[in-house]
Every structure is written in structure tokens, then in C-alpha cells.
Amino acid sequence: MSKFKTVEEAKAFLTENGFYTGNLWCVEDVQNNYECDEDQAQEILDQALTNEATMEQIWFAIHHHAENEGLIKKEN
């Protein structure tokens, strides 16, 4: 049982702890376009959101927008 009563409460908790919650995906995003159960939709989301091409694009976009904002990249 969750301590959160709504999705908004859970998102607020995550945001307060440094997570970006402005764009979350849901099984309904898959099920609105494909006939599948929740487990299948979760698997599709996992594969789509964790594949190498998606991750590379996200990192590219983060670097692009940070540089556009004039942020200085840290040395590793």
C-alpha cells in the first residue's frame, strides 16, 4: 500500500527529491495504440525508454540545452 493518495502527491514527492516528473509515460500511452495487457505495455515502455538510442538522444539534449543556457560543463 502506498503512502500517496494521488499520482500528483507521488510526483510532488519525487520532484522534491530531485527527479524530473514533467513528462511521465504510462501504460495507457501504449494501450491507446496497441492491443496489450499492462505487463506487455510496461515491457514496451521499458524497452523504448532504456534503449541506447533513446538514452543517447536524452544526453545529447541535456548537453545542448545546458550549453544554450550558458552552463559550464564540469570536468570529470
Side-chain angles (χ1 to χ4, degrees), residues 32-46:
N32 286 339
N33 293 293
Y34 298 95
E35 293 185 22
C36 59
D37 62 28
E38 285 193 28
D39 288 339
Q40 290 171 312
Q42 284 284 1
E43 181 64 25
I44 295 299
L45 288 171
D46 182 63

Side-chain angles (χ1 to χ4, degrees), residues 5-21:
K5 293 183 176 140
T6 66
V7 171
E8 287 72 30
E9 287 180 7
K11 286 172 66 174
F13 173 80
L14 289 169
T15 300
E16 290 167 9
N17 285 278
F19 291 89
Y20 177 74
T21 61

Side-chain angles (χ1 to χ4, degrees), residues 6-71:
T6 66
V7 171
E8 287 72 30
E9 287 180 7
K11 286 172 66 174
F13 173 80
L14 289 169
T15 300
E16 290 167 9
N17 285 278
F19 291 89
Y20 177 74
T21 61
N23 184 358
L24 297 176
W25 294 84
C26 179
V27 294
E28 289 178 357
D29 296 318
V30 178
Q31 291 177 319
N32 286 339
N33 293 293
Y34 298 95
E35 293 185 22
C36 59
D37 62 28
E38 285 193 28
D39 288 339
Q40 290 171 312
Q42 284 284 1
E43 181 64 25
I44 295 299
L45 288 171
D46 182 63
Q47 291 173 2
L49 297 171
T50 61
N51 77 65
E52 188 174 336
T54 301
M55 300 304 292
E56 284 180 12
Q57 184 60 38
I58 291 169
W59 282 112
F60 173 82
I62 289 170
H63 294 304
H64 172 78
H65 292 288
E67 288 174 4
N68 273 355
E69 292 292 322
L71 300 180

